[in-house]
Amino acid sequence: MITPLSSHTGAEVTGVDLTQPVDAALREHLNRAFVEHSVLVFRDQHLSPPQLLAAVQLFGEVFPQHNTRFALPDCPQIHYLSNQDHFPDGRRYIPGEGWHTDHSNDSRPPMATVLHAVKLPSRGGDTQFANMAAAYEALPTATRERLAPLIAIHVYQSSHSARKLMALPEARKERVPNAVLHPMVRTHPESGRKSIYLNPIRIEGILGLDHKEALPLLDELLAHGTEERFQYRHAWKPGDLVMWDNRCLLHKANGDYDMDQVRYRWIPGIA
Ligand SMILES: [Fe+2]
């Protein structure tokens, strides 16, 4: 059963066990629900890494993640997210803090990301989603016209971002592009809806605009796009498997829980 979780973003899927075979009709139904709701929350799933890989492949190919330091040794196509990792200087690394969309520094960013809860803190650690299609539709016409021709430059780590990422391993640097270009307005290939394509941790600039013009525009779009009216905030339950559409959403983690409690999840991307 599919139950919307807000008027614009998110739906809960119950009565599906992803360890069991999924027939073509159900697969089609889930794919349609995903395009319609942008976030699917499968409750009560308890998957092993290979079962998670099989579940992800119901929706597309597995995306090769960029930073291989987080790969599971026994199932390297799946990476983990943990609050127990630290930067080389000893500071704790909270993955996913700050609004972003995944891997926009790739020429073909993953269409979706899946997170499966393995260990959760007793409270806090919600994931917030902002619907950038709804945000686009709410922009004044003049802003939509201004954005239409703009192309943004995306890099692994934007020099404008306050949030610093874990450095890529040397061997991986050769395989990750230095910079890629993406339009600031994307058209969803399945729904046909347009959305603002933003990423504060990756956007280095906008082609043809100097920073004096580009940075305030990016700030203004982020403030607009992440207004509460465009958000769905997910409070995690044990067994949750959450899948979201990177083509039309921003998301952010919250490091607002007791860091002595382990928060550990698996994160495959879908190409
Ligand atoms: Fe993310």
Side-chain angles (χ1 to χ4, degrees):
M1 199 164 82
I2 290 172
T3 314
L5 290 163
S6 80
S7 62
H8 50 77
T9 307
E12 182 182 64
V13 182
T14 49
V16 174
D17 177 356
L18 291 171
T19 65
Q20 299 302 310
V22 168
D23 66 25
L26 178 56
R27 181 178 170 151
E28 173 64 26
H29 185 57
L30 292 172
N31 269 288
R32 253 185 289 123
F34 179 61
V35 172
E36 184 181 344
H37 299 286
S38 308
V39 179
L40 292 184
V41 177
F42 294 83
R43 301 288 192 192
D44 305 316
Q45 306 297 317
H46 300 281
L47 308 182
S48 65
Q51 287 171 329
L52 179 56
L53 266 191
V56 159
Q57 284 162 345
L58 294 170
F59 298 92
E61 295 298 312
V62 178
F63 177 86
Q65 302 276 14
H66 285 176
N67 200 336
T68 46
R69 73 172 76 228
F70 301 110
L72 297 184
D74 297 338
C75 192
Q77 283 171 290
I78 293 185
H79 285 207
Y80 72 88
L81 284 185
S82 167
N83 67 341
Q84 302 300 307
D85 281 317
H86 293 80
F87 284 106
D89 67 3
R91 278 177 307 126
R92 193 184 291 271
Y93 180 66
I94 306 296
E97 263 199 321
W99 290 105
H100 67 284
T101 179
D102 288 338
H103 300 306
S104 69
N105 61 315
D106 200 288
S107 53
R108 290 177 61 96
M111 69 110 169
T113 303
V114 174
L115 267 181
H116 186 29
V118 181
K119 281 200 182 99
L120 295 173
S122 54
R123 51 187 298 277
D126 294 355
T127 302
Q128 287 165 266
F129 298 95
N131 190 315
M132 303 306 280
Y136 175 81
E137 286 154 15
L139 284 173
T141 310
T143 312
R144 291 206 297 257
E145 285 171 357
R146 184 177 176 210
L147 287 184
L150 296 183
I151 307 278
I153 305 154
H154 296 244
V155 297
Y156 180 70
Q157 167 80 74
S158 167
S159 61
H160 313 298
S161 171
R163 179 185 152 215
K164 298 302 172 209
L165 302 170
M166 198 75 97
L168 288 173
E170 282 305 318
R172 206 59 194 154
K173 283 183 182 163
E174 297 164 13
R175 292 171 180 266
V176 175
N178 279 334
V180 298
L181 301 177
H182 292 297
M184 295 209 56
V185 178
R186 275 185 79 158
T187 303
H188 196 288
E190 290 172 87
S191 70
R193 278 178 95 188
K194 289 183 176 175
S195 60
I196 311 168
Y197 194 58
L198 267 190
N199 198 354
I201 58 167
R202 311 269 195 203
I203 292 186
E204 190 60 25
I206 298 175
L207 280 187
L209 298 192
D210 57 34
H211 285 340
K212 239 173 32 203
E213 205 179 340
L215 298 180
L217 174 62
L218 292 167
D219 287 347
E220 186 190 312
L221 290 170
L222 183 68
H224 166 78
T226 56
E227 280 178 28
E228 218 167 294
R229 60 184 165 140
F230 305 126
Q231 285 190 35
Y232 162 65
R233 184 174 180 124
H234 184 67
W236 288 83
K237 291 184 185 170
D240 277 357
L241 185 152
V242 176
M243 167 176 170
W244 67 84
D245 194 331
N246 284 313
R247 298 168 293 190
C248 55
L249 298 177
L250 288 180
H251 61 279
K252 82 188 272 279
N254 284 282
D256 60 352
Y257 50 92
D258 175 1
M259 286 295 156
D260 290 337
Q261 295 187 13
V262 177
R263 186 176 193 248
Y264 179 88
R265 293 161 310 158
W266 290 326
I267 180 164
I270 307 180

